Every structure is written in C-alpha cells, then in structure tokens.
Amino acid sequence: MYSRFTGVLALILALVLPALTLSAQFRGDAYGNLYDSETVSLLKEHVSFLASAQMEGRKAGSEGEKMAATYLYDALESCGVDMVSPKEGDPFGIVTDSDTLISRNVYGYVPGYDKSLSGEFIVVGARLDNLGTLVMTVDGETVTGTYSGANGNASGLAMLIELARKVSTNSLLFRRPVVFAAFGASCSGYMGSWYFTENSFKEKVNAFVNLDMLGGGEGFTAYTSSNSDLNALLGSMKGSLQPAIPVLTAAEPYPSDHRIFYAREIPSVTFTTGRYPEHNTVKDTPSILDYELMERELEYIYNFIQLLSCTGEEILFNPALKEEVKKISAAASPGVVSYFDCDQKPMFSNSPDISKFMKDWVYRLLKYPKAAVEQGIQGTVQVSFVIDRNGAVRDVQVVRSVHPLLDDEAVKVISASPKWRPARVRGEKVSSSMTIGVEFRLRHKGERGRFGINGY
C-alpha cells in the first residue's frame, strides 16, 4: 500500500513541478496574470485595447482615435463618471493644407460633496492620440508598422480611467468636483486641450493634473512649472506613507497639454516617467510597461487629487514668480501678442491662412534627414516663433520635440522664412507669436504631398 502511494505521489510531482517551473519562468504570459492585483489586471486590459492593432496608432482624426474615444467614454461611464461629452467625443476640426479632420475630446466629472465649492473644478487629463502608422518600402515590399503608443499615452489613459473609478467610489471624500478628460489631437499642437479650455469648459479650474507616459522611463517625476503652492502640496505628502514618491523637477521633462493650461494661468502639474528608449517608435507596445509601478503611481496621484480637491487654501498661479516672469517676458519680447488675440492675423504671401505658409514654404523646402529615414523616425515637431512688427520671423524654438534630427530641420526652414505682413491690434502693427506643427511622415514610394497641421 505504502509503495503504491509513494509511486502515485511521485507521478503527481513529476507532472506538477515542471508546470510550476514553467509558470514561474513565464509570468509575463497568461499564467503570469494569475499573480496580478485587480488594479494591475485592469491597467493591462485598458492598455492592451488602446494600444492594439485595430487602433492603428490613434492618429488625430482617424477611426482609431474615434474608437479610443468611445472606449474611454464607456469606461469612464462604467466607473460612475457623469459624462458631459457625447459618446463618440466632443468633436472639433483640424484644418490641414488639403482637408479638415475631425478630432474629439472625451470628458465627464464626479461631483464633490461641498455644495459651496461646486463651481470650482480639478481637471485630470491625458492625451488621447498618438502618431498613427508607418509605411515604408523594405527590399521592394511595402511594410506597415504601427505606433501603438502603449506608454505614450495608453498608460496615461489607463491611469485616467482607474483614477476615475477610485474617485467615484470614494466621492464623499472629495470637496470639489473632479473632471476627467481625454484630449484629442494633442500631438498636433495640443489642439484638444486648447479647444477644451476655449470652447467646452468655461467653469473655474482650480488646478490641472496631467498624465502623460507613466509606464516607466527616466523615473516618476512631477513638474509644476515652479508653482510654489503646488510644490508645497507635493512636499506635504512626503510626510505620509506613500507607495511611490515622485521627484519634483524644475525642468520640463516632456512638453504636453499642461502648456495650454499654464498659458491660461491655471496651476498645473504633470506626472510622468519621462522619455524611454521606445518613445515614438513602433516598439512602444504593452510589453514594455511596468504595471506594478503604474499601480503605485496611481495610488499616489489619487491621494494628491484628493488633497487638491479638499484644500482650503486657494492655489495661485506661480505666485512667487509671476511678476518676475512678466518682467522677463516684457524685456525679452515687448509687445508680443498671441496669434489668437490679434484683430488682424499675420499674413504670409498676403494670406492669413497658416496652411499657405506650411504648403508654400515649410513643406516645399523641408528635407527629411536621411539618418531619420533610416531609423524610421517620424512625428510632429511643435515649433513656436515670433513675427515682429516689421514682418521678420525671429525667436524660433522647439516646444515639443520628436528627435534632434527632425527638430533641427524644422527650425532651420522656419528661421529662413521671408517676411510676413505683420499682425495688427486696433489698427496698429504688433509683434505676434504662434506655434505650428511640422509633420515628418514616411510615405509609400511615389506618394505625393505632406500632411501639415495648422498651428496657433
């Protein structure tokens, strides 16, 4: 009897132990999901869908971006968010040199418990779109690659959904209402967040929390544009037990939608893990993300949002630096007016349509760096510049980088621009500033034309 039992036991162990060993070795596969927490499983589910092949890189104005918007709507609604935008998103147009594309924002809110603060909002946002697809000819064959954007920015969108779930579940802990927003066409000059602040959301925004690339990279950081009030709130959290603590940085780790809110003097903080080797490449897939890190970041950001919502102190826009920044700006660029604030917009070749400048100058002279083609680098470089009162282009600088090779080419072409007809305010010539997106796109052999996004 004993020998029969030990024989059966040995047979069971011989079958089971190899399976356990395989499970330990391949925890990244289906067996590995058994070890995931509920939050990690949900984060993986969101990223897997948003970075899937059917999204085709979620390019602004594409069906993939539209599908992603619908997914965000359904996910936020299921979390208990009161949705404000339509199911397919709040649409807005992007004018190009040949067409008008329709992008979209998705947003809703969770009410706060303090009725006296019902008109003050905390906005939590993440960019919805990415770069789309890459088409090249390799050895005579057409090859299509997809910029899946798992870390950039399916990671931020996944965090947005799960933050909404936690805030909705614990809404009685939040004094102020919290808005959750996904911004379309962020890669095209932050047009979604601009449309959101200019046209969709006119209520008072106390602070903006931006989520962009949170799946691993240079390290968990918080960037506040040196806002002392936000810095103080972040510093106060160091005294409590937190699953992760971001490094507070004074240097912008990555240009993102916070720029639009900052331009409107809304205190803003961007949480990010920064750039990573797969950034803006076809290798940015769900497998590169650190989901356990994301779970820890999620808990910290949730705690920070609760602190923002419940603080009794008004959060001011850069109170310590505001006057100094004004003086520096006035000395460096006296009388520079935003493109949108001009009564008569600056004109290139007698046309106020920026697409004419893009088509007749930028894309006519732009040369795709050979090294960038060989490395498959593409994307939209955001470049700001000033057109002075004499019509000359000056102060050209990159505000959203793709790669030094593309950045330098965009700056070179814009810097060489002939004179414009200057803008006017109340009939007087003024210096005006604008930002445009210069797109570098690898195309089918023989395909004509470049796609250019209008700037602002």
Side-chain angles (χ1 to χ4, degrees), residues 21-301:
T21 302
L22 285 171
S23 176
Q25 289 177 343
F26 298 100
R27 290 181 61 174
D29 297 330
Y31 288 109
N33 293 333
L34 297 174
Y35 298 88
D36 291 341
S37 67
E38 181 180 359
T39 299
V40 166
S41 294
L42 289 169
L43 291 172
K44 285 184 175 181
E45 179 182 331
H46 300 319
V47 171
S48 178
F49 180 84
L50 293 166
S52 63
Q54 63 179 318
M55 296 294 104
E56 296 184 336
R58 306 188 308 279
K59 190 173 182 65
S62 69
E63 282 298 312
E65 186 195 44
K66 184 177 179 180
M67 291 172 63
T70 300
Y71 180 87
L72 260 293
Y73 183 100
D74 290 341
L76 291 174
E77 187 176 49
S78 70
C79 291
V81 175
D82 293 337
M83 298 307 295
V84 178
S85 65
K87 187 176 180 67
E88 294 182 349
D90 184 15
F92 58 91
I94 307 172
V95 180
T96 74
D97 58 352
S98 60
D99 198 2
T100 298
L101 302 178
I102 303 300
S103 185
R104 61 204 71 243
N105 295 328
V106 178
Y107 60 97
Y109 73 101
V110 175
Y113 70 79
D114 191 337
K115 300 300 182 184
S116 67
L117 299 176
S118 61
E120 300 183 9
F121 292 81
I122 306 298
V123 176
V124 184
R127 64 180 171 97
L128 179 66
D129 61 317
N130 197 42
L131 300 177
T133 57
L134 166 71
V135 180
M136 293 187 299
T137 300
V138 179
D139 296 330
E141 295 185 5
T142 299
V143 178
T144 300
T146 300
Y147 289 98
S148 302
N151 197 10
N153 185 38
S155 62
L157 294 169
M159 298 276 272
L160 184 79
I161 295 168
E162 292 312 309
L163 283 168
R165 188 188 310 277
K166 290 174 69 68
V167 172
S168 178
T169 301
N170 303 290
S171 60
L172 293 178
L173 301 177
F174 290 79
R175 291 184 66 189
R176 293 175 176 84
V178 182
V179 175
F180 295 92
F183 303 122
S186 177
C187 294
S188 302
Y190 324 116
M191 295 301 291
S193 50
W194 175 84
Y195 185 83
F196 178 82
T197 56
E198 287 290 319
N199 298 282
S200 302
F201 200 82
K202 297 297 186 180
E203 287 77 9
K204 179 181 178 181
V205 178
N206 277 48
F208 172 58
V209 178
N210 187 35
L211 312 172
D212 202 341
M213 302 188 308
L214 283 158
E218 298 172 343
F220 186 32
T221 59
Y223 172 70
T224 66
S225 303
S226 300
N227 184 288
S228 58
D229 286 355
L230 288 176
N231 290 350
L233 286 176
L234 289 163
S236 70
M237 294 183 65
K238 292 182 178 180
S240 58
L241 184 62
Q242 299 291 340
I245 299 290
V247 174
L248 184 62
T249 178
E252 185 179 58
Y254 188 75
S256 186
D257 290 286
H258 61 264
R259 287 177 175 240
I260 297 298
F261 288 83
Y262 188 76
R264 283 147 182 76
E265 298 193 355
I266 296 172
S268 305
V269 55
T270 289
F271 290 107
T272 182
T273 51
R275 296 185 186 273
Y276 48 102
E278 301 82 4
H279 178 245
N280 281 351
T281 72
V282 296
K283 295 181 180 180
D284 188 359
T285 59
S287 62
I288 71 169
L289 271 62
D290 186 339
Y291 295 95
E292 286 74 21
L293 171 64
M294 290 174 62
E295 182 179 26
R296 297 193 298 273
E297 295 167 349
L298 176 72
E299 189 65 30
Y300 177 89
I301 298 172

